[in-house]
């Protein structure tokens, strides 16, 4: 883990005698790295290019290319400043994750070790260190990415909402947690961002903390009821080191002020016991997503272009570069039929028919549930994908053999126009 945290991910930069056009191109590349959430690479590239530009501007004052670069720096000054600010934030997160002083062991729960440390301000910091294995990291990332679905799996979370998306991996979020039996209600508005280190060290770093305001975002009012208050997440730093497509080591450090009028020792006790449960529930939710293609997360994976157009190629490239076998993403593999493949008159005529056997009715209902047509996301298929599609279509034919639904034409095949029956077959 220390090897990952100490890896700087130095980019490949131009030579010392860079021309004005190369410098201009590198500034644009730094902005592209910001958009791709590669913050350390963006900072190193920006600083190196800026030093080269300063040297060039002293030698070529008033040059047309120099003026063009100065215009770029002025027009996008805010983005260049953001490169430095975010990189510094992740640098501090790296130091926090590397700091091993003062931690005391609390427990090991489902393979996740929990340590704690009392801070100078009287709050408690909790560190979780464990390995998640046996589950595709794609589903784990999807569960983390969908903030407004936290209420479906995070213990005691009653409300969660994504207020604003920021580039690829950042968001402004809001959540409310409660324990009605104890008359406790706590809400939290936070900003979470991630740093992509997959190309450098096969890892992803996350930094989050509470915020009171953000330009262009309207925050909900705090709960106004007995026992309600707004908690403060002072720090949340995490590192996910990908060891294989189905195994990752996770290191999390969190410092949260719950605003509870209880003895601190009691608060510390519950935090130490509850913290290790979060990673376990994350794993179990990802397992549910992989097994249920009709879940809310699965629908998000299919409907949001972020997954098919950015995340799938990203994970696919990582697997190819490291010689790993790309795992199967169940949410992106759905075999469906267009509405015209069913005879509406037959359905209406047999809806309440007493002549259908119970088995036939069950098959008809089962087939009917999975008949929403969606345009394919992938146009170019590999031979093994075509074979897999043909196999699934044959299974589908057998499944509806005993129903009165219209079947796929016998002469139709995936390679000769039957692709209209296939939706979202993706292997990453």
């Amino acid at each position: 883990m220390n090897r990952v945290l100490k890896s700087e991910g130095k980019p490949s930069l131009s030579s010392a005698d860079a021309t004005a056009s190369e410098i201009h191109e590198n500034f644009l590349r730094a902005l592209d790295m910001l958009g791709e959430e590669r913050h350390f690479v963006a900072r190193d590239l920006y600083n190196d290019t800026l030093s080269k530009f300063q040297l060039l501007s002293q030698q070529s004052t008033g040059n047309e290319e120099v003026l063009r670069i100065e215009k770029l720096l002025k027009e996008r000054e805010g983005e260049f400043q953001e490169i430095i600010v975010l990189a510094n934030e992740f640098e501090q997160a790296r130091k926090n994750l590397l700091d091993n002083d003062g931690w005391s062991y609390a427990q090991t729960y489902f393979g996740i070790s929990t340590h704690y440390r009392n801070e100078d301000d009287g709050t408690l910091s909790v560190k979780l260190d464990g390995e998640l294995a046996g589950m595709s990291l794609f589903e784990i990332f999807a569960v983390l990415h969908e903030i407004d679905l936290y209420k479906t799996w995070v213990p005691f979370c009653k409300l969660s909402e994504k207020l604003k998306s920021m580039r690829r991996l950042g968001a402004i979020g809001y959540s409310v947690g409660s324990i009605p039996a104890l008359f406790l209600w706590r809400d939290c508005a936070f900003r979470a961002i991630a740093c992509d280190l997959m190309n450098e060290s096969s890892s992803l770093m996350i930094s989050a903390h509470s915020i009171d305001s953000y330009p262009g975002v309207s925050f909900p009012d705090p709960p106004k009821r007995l026992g309600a208050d707004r908690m403060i997440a002072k720090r949340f730093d995490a590192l996910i080191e990908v060891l294989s497509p189905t195994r990752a080591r996770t290191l999390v450090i969190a410092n949260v002020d719950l605003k509870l009028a209880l003895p601190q020792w009691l608060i510390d006790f519950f935090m130490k016991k509850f913290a290790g449960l979060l990673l376990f529930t994350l794993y179990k939710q990802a397992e549910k997503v992989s097994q249920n293609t009709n879940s809310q997360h699965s629908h998000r994976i299919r409907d949001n272009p972020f997954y098919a157009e950015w995340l799938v190629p990203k994970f696919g490239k990582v697997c190819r570069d490291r010689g790993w076998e790309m795992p199967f993403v169940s949410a992106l593999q759905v075999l469906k039929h267009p509405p015209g493949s069913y005879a509406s008159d037959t359905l209406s005529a047999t809806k309440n028919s007493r002549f259908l056997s119970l088995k036939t009715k069950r098959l008809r209902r089962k087939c009917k549930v999975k008949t929403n047509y969606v345009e394919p996301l992938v146009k170019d298929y590999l031979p093994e994908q075509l074979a897999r599609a043909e196999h699934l279509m044959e299974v589908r034919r057998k499944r509806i053999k005993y129903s009165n639904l219209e079947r796929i034409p016998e002469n139709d095949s995936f390679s000769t126009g039957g692709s209209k029956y296939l939706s979202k077959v993706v292997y990453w």
Side-chain angles (χ1 to χ4, degrees):
M1 185 65 73
N2 288 350
R3 174 189 60 80
V4 174
L5 292 171
K6 293 176 182 177
S7 174
E8 294 290 341
K10 296 292 185 181
S12 177
L13 304 176
S14 55
S15 58
D17 56 345
T19 64
S21 60
E22 291 175 339
I23 290 176
H24 186 271
E25 182 65 23
N26 278 341
F27 276 129
L28 293 177
R29 282 181 58 213
L31 294 176
D32 290 340
M33 294 298 101
L34 174 66
E36 293 293 320
E37 308 288 7
R38 299 181 63 189
H39 300 294
F40 288 130
V41 176
R43 179 196 59 184
D44 294 343
L45 181 58
Y46 171 72
N47 288 336
D48 184 86
T49 307
L50 183 62
S51 63
K52 289 181 172 60
F53 173 67
Q54 292 172 347
L55 180 62
L56 178 65
S57 60
Q58 295 175 359
Q59 301 173 352
S60 307
T61 305
N63 183 278
E64 182 178 351
E65 289 292 331
V66 172
L67 294 177
R68 186 165 71 108
I69 296 174
E70 290 177 347
K71 182 180 178 181
L72 173 66
L73 293 175
K74 184 176 181 180
E75 290 178 347
R76 309 184 71 171
E77 180 181 3
E79 294 176 79
F80 286 117
Q81 290 179 352
E82 190 176 12
I83 289 176
I84 302 300
V85 171
L86 293 179
N88 290 341
E89 179 174 342
F90 281 107
E91 192 65 55
Q92 183 61 45
R94 189 207 301 269
K95 293 180 181 178
N96 294 336
L97 292 167
L98 279 172
D99 185 9
N100 294 319
D101 296 335
W103 293 102
S104 301
Y105 174 77
Q107 66 176 0
T108 298
Y109 188 67
F110 291 106
I112 300 168
S113 299
T114 303
H115 294 74
Y116 67 94
R117 182 175 64 189
N118 295 310
E119 304 294 349
D120 295 337
D121 58 0
T123 60
L124 182 78
S125 291
V126 177
K127 179 169 70 171
L128 307 175
D129 188 359
E131 187 174 299
L132 300 176
M135 177 54 56
S136 171
L137 298 181
F138 187 96
E139 280 83 2
I140 292 177
F141 184 86
V143 172
L144 288 173
H145 184 71
E146 299 299 334
I147 293 177
D148 50 344
L149 295 181
Y150 283 5
K151 58 181 176 288
T152 64
W153 64 274
V154 176
F156 309 118
C157 183
K158 303 301 181 183
L159 173 66
S160 56
E161 185 179 357
K162 181 182 289 187
L163 303 178
K164 180 182 177 63
S165 296
M166 303 164 56
R167 292 184 302 276
R168 302 283 191 186
L169 306 176
I172 305 295
Y174 175 78
S175 64
V176 177
S178 72
I179 306 179
L182 300 179
F183 300 99
L184 291 179
W185 292 81
R186 292 294 181 269
D187 74 329
C188 181
F190 58 91
R191 187 214 64 177
I193 55 175
C195 180
D196 180 8
L197 296 171
M198 296 299 293
N199 289 351
E200 291 76 39
S201 55
S202 297
S203 60
L204 183 76
M205 194 181 299
I206 302 172
S207 176
H209 57 80
S210 293
I211 57 175
D212 296 324
S213 62
Y214 194 86
V217 178
S218 177
F219 291 91
D221 295 329
K224 296 180 180 179
R225 61 176 70 196
L226 180 65
D229 204 346
R230 175 159 288 181
M231 67 181 184
I232 300 175
K234 296 186 177 182
R235 184 176 71 246
F236 179 91
D237 301 322
L239 181 77
I240 302 174
E241 182 185 2
V242 180
L243 304 176
S244 77
T246 58
R247 190 166 61 95
R249 184 182 177 191
T250 305
L251 177 63
V252 178
I253 293 180
N255 181 271
V256 180
D257 185 359
L258 297 177
K259 299 290 185 180
L260 292 177
L262 295 174
Q264 188 62 39
W265 65 267
L266 184 59
I267 298 174
D268 295 351
F269 173 80
F270 282 110
M271 286 187 64
K272 288 183 286 187
K273 296 298 181 182
F274 175 73
L277 181 63
L278 283 177
L279 284 182
F280 176 73
T281 54
L282 168 64
Y283 178 88
K284 298 303 291 184
Q285 181 62 26
E287 186 178 29
K288 292 179 182 179
V289 173
S290 67
Q291 296 174 354
N292 183 8
T293 58
N294 200 35
S295 65
Q296 290 179 287
H297 285 90
S298 296
H299 283 292
R300 295 288 180 89
I301 292 173
R302 288 193 291 270
D303 298 338
N304 191 346
F306 164 80
Y307 294 100
E309 297 178 4
W310 188 82
L311 190 59
V312 169
K314 169 70 71 173
F315 273 81
K317 182 179 183 303
V318 172
C319 289
R320 289 193 301 272
D321 292 344
R322 288 156 179 76
W324 296 338
E325 181 180 355
M326 296 186 296
F328 178 69
V329 181
S330 59
L332 288 176
Q333 190 280 320
V334 182
L335 186 64
K336 300 179 180 179
H337 296 270
S341 62
Y342 294 95
S344 56
D345 56 342
T346 305
L347 281 174
S348 59
T350 61
K351 183 176 181 180
N352 298 315
S353 174
R354 7 183 226 134
F355 301 102
L356 292 176
S357 67
L358 181 61
K359 180 178 179 181
T360 301
K361 290 180 179 179
R362 287 176 178 173
L363 284 173
R364 179 170 60 79
R365 287 196 299 268
K366 189 174 182 180
C367 294
K368 187 177 178 182
V369 171
K370 303 179 180 179
T371 58
N372 296 325
Y373 179 67
V374 184
E375 288 295 330
L377 289 178
V378 181
K379 304 299 182 182
D380 298 324
Y381 299 94
L382 298 176
E384 55 267 25
Q385 294 173 334
L386 299 179
R388 173 65 174 167
E390 289 285 5
H391 170 70
L392 292 175
M393 290 171 66
E394 181 62 28
V395 171
R396 187 65 168 185
R397 292 189 188 100
K398 294 179 180 179
R399 179 177 295 176
I400 65 176
K401 178 179 179 180
Y402 300 103
S403 70
N404 288 332
L405 303 179
E406 181 184 355
R407 291 188 291 172
I408 302 172
E410 295 297 333
N411 296 328
D412 199 0
S413 66
F414 182 78
S415 60
T416 60
S419 58
K420 61 180 180 292
Y421 298 104
L422 182 69
S423 175
K424 298 183 180 179
V425 177
V426 177
Y427 293 83
W428 65 277

